[in-house]
Amino acid sequence: MLQAPAWYHEAVFYELAPRTFCDGNGDGIGDFKGLTQRLPYLAELGVSCLWLLPMYPSPLRDDGYDISDYRAIHPDLGSLAEFQVFLRDAHALGLRVIADLVLNHTSDQHPWFQAAREGPGHPYHDWYVWSDDPGRYAEARIIFTDTERSNWAWDDQARRYYWHRFFSSQPDLNYDHPPVQSEMLATLEHWLELGLDGFRVDAVPYLFERENTSCENLPETHAFLRRLRARLAERFPEALLLGEANQWPEDVLPYFGTPEAPELPMNFHFPLMPRLFLALAQQRRDPIAQVLTRTPPLPPGCQWATFLRNHDELTLEMVDEVERAAMWAAYAPEPRMRCNVGIRRRLWPLLEGDRRRVELLHALLLSLPGAPVLYYGDEIGMGDDIHRPDRHGVRLPMAWDDGRNFGFSAAPPSQLRVAMPGDPGPYHPLVANVAAARANPSSFWHWLRERLRLRAEHVTLRRGEFVLLAPENPAILAFLRTMAHEAVLVVANMSPVAQATALELSAHTGWRVVPLPGARPFPPFGDEPYPLTLGPYGHLWLQLLPPSR
Ligand code: TEU
Ligand code: CA
């Protein structure tokens, strides 16, 4: 009997930052008290696992991805007790919670790094990667190309260079030093003992460095992940480790490990994400079909985390030059829209507020193989602000109603740590807020909630075998999710004009066709190719039922 899939295989994730979700104590900063008050909203929407952006003490040079204490909650966000109330209430509502964990580097304000700066004699010096020669690891690419010119930074006190794959205020930990590995393993256990359901493992390809390599995806990194997985397997077999390995498909696969030597049970499907947008821009299915064909089947017990957007730039690191140029042209015509090797825009502005395309991409996100990850605010049509520094423009406060600070905080507007957007327009929180979305039965919010319900109702959409079809019409993406008792046929028109197609489905001759949602049955499948017409950016979920049922 197939082992029942782990809880995370079929979860719908919802990525949020406690700092910008809801302020519970009126100091102008989102916090766990506010997030706790909004848990019923998240349960009502129909998501099943929250992914919290970094919640630890931090000088916030990288919005919390620069951690200065791995075992505490940032005081802005509340006390450990308030975090535990949040976790208890989330679990009571059937919501699981994973937290972002940054293994690769700390803040330069972490006491470990401050001690390490004392120099080679200090016991903490080897917790970081130092060199007298800034030419070491010369083949490692710079990731934050907008701000960093080198992966080495000089430290005046230590009189040596230190290694940093991200901002120079984020020194990399030295995973060749055993106490670092032990401390990080203990940190994971610390939070799991408090009831956390798992982690999103940040920047996992960069943990180790070796000369004459790209310093990404090294065997030593995979060996550490095997050690990490084995360590948790005994006491926390249900704990999720969701890897952020932003790599080409063949380089992401190894992060799942093998059944004999497992690593991370879930990884983000970075290869797919930009190609969903590229297919729209090019009005053809190929970018999606090619990457899905190029993605080998996962080892048993593993699952992709699929997503449209997140708190970072829409990364173009793993597409080729031609694809990147097409994406820049289609989605980032203004240089301000670009950040590093990506596009710092939220979903709705990226798609010009075109609800048809937003629904189309969500219809694919919720029916393609993988566990979908929604980004907070996309459900209410939230906008961005490209005039804010770095990626902050895609991390604005959530808007709950049309009241003071749009329901985010009771503080005076001037006290908000993160200001609400000011630009008038279709995404202004006056119109794009939860209350307005819920009050309008024909809003995208209700459409999304209904699709989440259908996905929860149809195990075929979560676990069905994926079969890609190849209709004549290149603008049409069509695939099946099949199980013995039913199949779901998904058809999508990637173009802005109506398209006709005819699908070869001889294996389903005589099967009944029921649209999801809706009940007006379509004609059953005959021997002929099945004709369908889709409107601009149209899409269908069609339930196929065998004649017997
Ligand atoms: O990003 C890791 C990373 O490699 C980024 O370059 C990412 O691939 C790119 O931004 C597109 O997603 C993680 C966090 O997501 C990011 O917010 C942090 O700034 C970074 O790590 C450093 O902790
Ligand atoms: Ca607060």
Side-chain angles (χ1 to χ4, degrees), residues 356-429:
R356 299 169 309 177
R357 280 181 273 170
V358 173
E359 286 188 1
L360 170 55
L361 287 191
H362 277 88
L364 295 180
L365 181 70
L366 297 181
S367 57
L368 280 168
V373 182
L374 305 176
Y375 184 44
Y376 85 94
D378 283 349
E379 78 268 27
I380 58 169
M382 186 186 268
D384 55 31
D385 178 354
I386 59 172
H387 298 288
R388 301 205 189 181
D390 192 6
R391 291 146 290 164
H392 294 280
V394 302
R395 305 173 182 176
L396 305 181
M398 185 69 171
W400 296 95
D401 55 44
D402 58 7
R404 182 192 185 100
N405 301 316
F406 307 102
F408 167 71
S409 168
S414 58
Q415 258 187 22
L416 294 194
R417 175 68 60 81
V418 178
M420 296 306 279
D423 309 15
Y427 319 115
H428 192 281

Side-chain angles (χ1 to χ4, degrees), residues 364 367-369 466-469 477-481 488-491:
L364 295 180
S367 57
L368 280 168
F466 176 73
V467 179
L468 185 63
L469 304 178
L477 172 69
F479 56 87
L480 287 165
R481 302 295 306 270
V488 177
L489 169 63
V490 178
V491 193

Side-chain angles (χ1 to χ4, degrees), residues 3 14 21 34 37 82 112 152 181 202 236 254 261 267 294 320 333 336 368 382 389 410 509 513 530 532 544 547:
Q3 171 198 3
Y14 185 95
F21 201 64
Q37 292 160 4
E82 285 170 317
W112 299 338
W152 290 105
Q181 292 200 22
D202 180 71
F236 308 100
N267 287 285
R294 180 176 162 187
D320 67 34
R336 287 203 68 89
L368 280 168
M382 186 186 268
T509 301
V513 181
Y530 197 76
L532 286 168
L544 311 184

Side-chain angles (χ1 to χ4, degrees), residues 22-31 76-77:
C22 184
D23 170 16
N25 67 355
D27 66 356
I29 311 167
D31 48 43
D76 284 352
L77 304 182

Side-chain angles (χ1 to χ4, degrees), residues 1-5 10 300-301 459 463 483:
M1 172 63 182
L2 255 185
Q3 171 198 3
E10 306 194 18
V459 63
R463 274 196 246 163
M483 296 184 89

Side-chain angles (χ1 to χ4, degrees), residues 177-324:
H177 189 52
V180 169
Q181 292 200 22
S182 316
E183 174 63 25
M184 280 304 163
L185 292 172
T187 295
L188 284 144
E189 292 186 319
H190 168 82
W191 291 105
L192 292 172
E193 282 157 5
L194 285 174
L196 201 66
D197 296 291
F199 304 93
R200 177 254 194 194
V201 188
D202 180 71
V204 73
Y206 318 102
L207 298 185
F208 284 78
E209 297 78 31
R210 286 293 180 274
E211 211 50 73
N212 305 319
T213 75
S214 69
C215 295
E216 297 182 35
N217 315 318
L218 292 175
E220 292 83 354
T221 293
H222 288 292
F224 172 69
L225 293 177
R226 285 193 290 276
R227 180 182 175 203
L228 165 55
R229 184 70 180 282
R231 169 74 168 264
L232 297 189
E234 292 140 39
R235 295 180 54 206
F236 308 100
E238 290 256 298
L240 169 58
L241 294 170
L242 167 50
E244 187 216 17
N246 179 19
Q247 299 291 327
W248 294 95
E250 50 281 356
D251 291 331
V252 179
L253 257 290
Y255 284 94
F256 292 103
T258 63
E260 304 70 38
E263 293 185 26
L264 307 178
M266 281 188 80
N267 287 285
F268 284 100
H269 208 322
F270 274 101
L272 171 63
M273 182 276 294
R275 292 172 175 85
L276 291 166
F277 293 92
L278 187 59
L280 274 182
Q282 297 183 338
Q283 304 182 17
R284 61 197 186 95
R285 66 164 177 272
D286 258 14
I288 299 171
Q290 283 168 9
V291 76
L292 290 176
T293 311
R294 180 176 162 187
T295 305
L298 294 181
C302 293
Q303 176 64 299
W304 286 111
T306 48
F307 65 107
L308 300 176
R309 287 290 296 115
N310 61 15
H311 66 290
D312 284 328
E313 69 280 23
L314 190 169
T315 181
L316 300 176
E317 291 158 286
M318 303 299 162
V319 296
D320 67 34
E321 293 297 327
V322 172
E323 292 168 324
R324 188 170 305 141

